[in-house]
Amino acid sequence: MTDVSTDQTNKEHGVRPPGDLNPRPDPALDFPDRPFGSLTRQDYEVLGFMSGLEVHQQLLTESKLFCRCPAGRRVTRVDAEVLRHMRPTLSELGEYDGTALMEFKTRKEIVYLLERGSVCTYEMDDTPPFEIDPEAVASAIEIALLLDLDLVSELHVMRKQYLDGSIPTGFQRTAMVGLTGTIPFRVPELGVDRALRIRQLSLEEDSCREVSDVGHRITFRTDRLGMPLTETVTEPEFQTPQEVQAGARLIARVVRTTGKVRRGAGAARQDVNVSVAGGRRVEIKGVHHHRGLPLLVHLEAFRQLNLLRVKAALTDRSIDPSALVVGEGGLPWESSDLIADVGGTLRHTSLVPLRHAVERGETVAAVRLPGFVGLLAHPTQPGRDFGYELAERVRVIACPRERHFFAHSDPGSRGPSEAEWREVRRAVRATADDAVVLVWAPRDDAATAAREVVLRAREAFDGIPAETRQAHRDGTTGFERILPGPDRMYPDTDTPPLPVADRLVAEIRVDLPETPWHRAVRYVALGLTEQHALRLADAPWADLFDAVAPAATVAPRVATAFARRLPRYRRRGVPARAHAAERIALLVRALEAGTVRLEATEAVLDDLAAAPSADADTILARYRRDDDDVARFEAALADVAKAARHMNGRSPTTLMRWGMGQLMPAFLGRLDPAVVRGRLSDVVSAAAHGSAR
Ligand SMILES: [Zn+2]
């Protein structure tokens, strides 16, 4: 089904971004293992930490990018199923494309679930693409301008190879929109104040939603397939895991200011590239949340450091990688002296999942790894050892159906008994220096598995395999696939180049929304601290703040009150009309005029929230200064003084607190609390003298 020939490869467009290897070759092998959160900026510098982001954002368009199917429809109905096999012939595999080879090895059956209303023959590669969606192009240009990118003069649609089945055609159509921009990157709480360089922005088609992936069958829904999204790629300049998170948030903020992007689950996803000194760029795919990003990239940095320690140990032991070879054809236990079929030996094993596998007639392969003793137990991530790296490779490529399919001879692995291990070791002629891995699966899968164990073990001599990984909830990652080779892009002959009209760009430029950093500058001019200004610029109520336009005299107070109260009201489900701009504006004008004092701001907001339909001016009147406030206060103070004289033995602090509680609510917004406190203090000390007498 898939054309993976590379003869049309356009080197100019297909070159893998530079820096696959971390520029620093010296790993910090002696770096002490310390928990996440205790590392400083300097520590990450010592590690040679490097990270960049690829932020994917679905656009809010009516249609998909290259056909007229509706975008953004999430369906569960299935009108038809299409079954496909990845069947590239060997000559088509390209010379060294690890991804193509890997996908071929998995022997996956790919099932697409189709729903009539959300997919047509275009997505299934039966009809050529329609004209690119103009709405999506305009939105992408707008985002590119906000990111300060140089726009291309013509959109050239390219095909990017996608061999995991998530795009039925085997390629994604993608068009570069802009290149090389810089945006201000200011995060006071992280001590960051510099420019963030954006490498490029592309407009692309989204892939399918995966429904399940069991054994050799993977199932996709096609509703999301072909929806337009932008991909923003940063330079790999983030220096700490916290900066990665801040950068992802910044880009999300910029693209959202357009109001032309989708929100909600899966609408924004990022890939994170991470490496450390001596390591190699590893891509963690499809991270949905910003919250988990710092731990995720921190753990990846340490996984790389640990793999480099394994590599160093192999070098110290003078192990020869050329011992780790296994032929491609036939059954590896018949041709390799590293591998043996040990099903017979383990027929009665105490390890239940293994015994069941033997009973089902599956093959149990033992793989000897010369000189690896102890290294499979080497920690890589929290709760994971180097053996897990091998097991993950087997899980993804050999596709065993059962959860437990792997054991190794080092401590910490759930495997057969000591005595059974001795038998297994004898079968593969393992010495005390060797480690042994057991994998069990149906015969063909076991053959694939045994080969993968050898291949992955051999990559340990290189340090970090070039791969993409998937994020787990706990911040650890698992193997996903071999990182695609550099020859991934080639021109799409179905779509003519589309000139980007100057007039269109000019129209978009005139209407460009305010960027978060421009907004923050405006708020700083209103007297907000920079930190508060940046936070407000990012807040969902920034538009409300702008609509009520507080003067500099009251702006910081209003911003603080919004930040304290509005998220709370939202959580409680207070209707938005409670805080309509015209209601809040009455309060802000009163604050500016000084007819309501600033201390009453939150109280007025609370009252407005409690009575969304009540007249706002009536609510405000409760706090508005009045001519008889002073007279009323004197009377109230006299009452408090009288009562205080009968509260024998209470401390002045207690009396003050009680007194303020008696007086202040009635005069909030009307009288200066400091004045009230001063007058009350006189009364309290008089009462104390009285009781002392
Ligand atoms: Zn369609």
Side-chain angles (χ1 to χ4, degrees), residues 17-141:
D20 244 16
L21 287 175
N22 188 287
R24 257 180 52 197
D26 53 322
L29 294 177
D30 297 331
F31 193 91
D33 274 336
R34 298 213 308 270
F36 171 66
S38 72
L39 269 70
T40 63
R41 176 173 292 277
Q42 285 70 36
D43 290 329
Y44 287 107
E45 198 183 321
V46 169
L47 287 169
F49 176 88
M50 236 179 115
S51 179
L53 280 165
E54 295 168 22
V55 180
H56 300 102
Q57 173 66 60
Q58 289 178 346
L59 298 176
L60 189 58
T61 56
E62 292 280 321
S63 311
K64 292 187 177 180
L65 191 55
F66 287 107
C67 66
R68 297 300 159 253
C69 291
R73 271 193 53 187
R74 214 181 147 87
V75 299
T76 48
R77 215 176 80 144
V78 179
D79 294 320
E81 283 189 23
V82 172
L83 173 72
R84 288 198 172 166
H85 294 274
M86 272 289 175
R87 210 186 306 117
T89 65
L90 275 170
S91 64
E92 281 178 332
L93 279 175
E95 280 172 38
Y96 298 110
D97 195 314
T99 311
L101 195 61
M102 174 199 137
E103 299 298 347
F104 181 56
K105 280 195 281 194
T106 61
R107 294 179 291 117
K108 286 272 189 196
E109 248 179 31
I110 305 161
V111 179
Y112 299 104
L113 306 178
L114 313 180
E115 185 265 345
R116 216 170 275 129
S118 60
V119 70
C120 67
T121 49
Y122 162 69
E123 289 98 317
M124 304 312 290
D125 205 18
D126 283 340
T127 46
F130 293 70
E131 197 183 315
I132 192 166
D133 182 62
E135 208 185 344
V137 172
S139 300
I141 290 174

Side-chain angles (χ1 to χ4, degrees), residues 332-546:
W333 42 87
E334 288 174 358
S335 57
S336 167
D337 68 342
L338 295 173
I339 302 171
D341 177 349
V342 292
T345 310
L346 295 168
R347 217 167 34 239
H348 305 295
T349 175
S350 53
L351 185 65
V352 177
L354 178 53
R355 195 173 67 231
H356 287 170
V358 176
E359 284 162 7
R360 283 192 302 268
E362 294 182 3
T363 302
V364 187
V367 185
R368 175 167 62 91
L369 301 176
F372 273 69
V373 68
L375 293 180
L376 297 184
H378 194 289
T380 49
Q381 310 181 72
R384 305 287 187 204
D385 59 17
F386 180 62
Y388 177 71
E389 297 274 323
L390 279 58
E392 278 288 285
R393 195 59 80 79
V394 168
R395 183 181 62 76
V396 173
I397 295 179
C399 311
R401 287 191 74 92
E402 304 298 322
R403 280 171 56 104
H404 195 173
F405 56 84
F406 181 98
H408 64 68
S409 57
D410 280 347
S413 177
R414 205 176 136 228
S417 69
E418 287 289 323
E420 287 160 349
W421 269 121
R422 277 195 295 275
E423 291 286 311
V424 169
R425 296 185 77 95
R426 201 168 303 140
V428 286
R429 291 190 293 280
T431 72
D433 294 336
D434 302 341
V436 178
V437 164
L438 283 176
V439 281
W440 54 93
R443 195 193 64 176
D444 288 353
D445 294 346
T448 308
R451 282 200 181 90
E452 281 307 316
V453 167
V454 175
L455 284 173
R456 179 61 189 87
R458 192 180 163 117
E459 288 172 12
F461 292 89
D462 191 31
I464 321 297
E467 62 192 25
T468 66
R469 300 184 64 81
Q470 62 184 133
H472 297 152
R473 276 169 188 280
D474 62 359
T476 63
T477 54
F479 173 73
E480 191 175 73
R481 57 183 49 86
I482 311 286
L483 200 64
D487 298 331
R488 265 186 98 197
M489 297 258 257
Y490 46 104
D492 181 33
T493 43
D494 292 331
T495 23
L498 177 77
V500 177
D502 290 345
R503 216 189 50 185
L504 173 68
V505 175
E507 275 169 21
I508 293 170
R509 207 184 279 279
V510 165
D511 244 355
L512 221 48
E514 195 180 25
T515 60
W517 48 91
H518 284 123
R519 214 164 184 161
V521 167
R522 193 157 53 74
Y523 295 150
V524 167
L526 279 174
L528 272 70
T529 64
E530 182 165 31
Q531 199 155 338
H532 284 151
L534 288 167
R535 212 166 284 165
L536 175 58
D538 187 29
W541 52 86
D543 286 338
L544 176 64
F545 184 87
D546 288 347

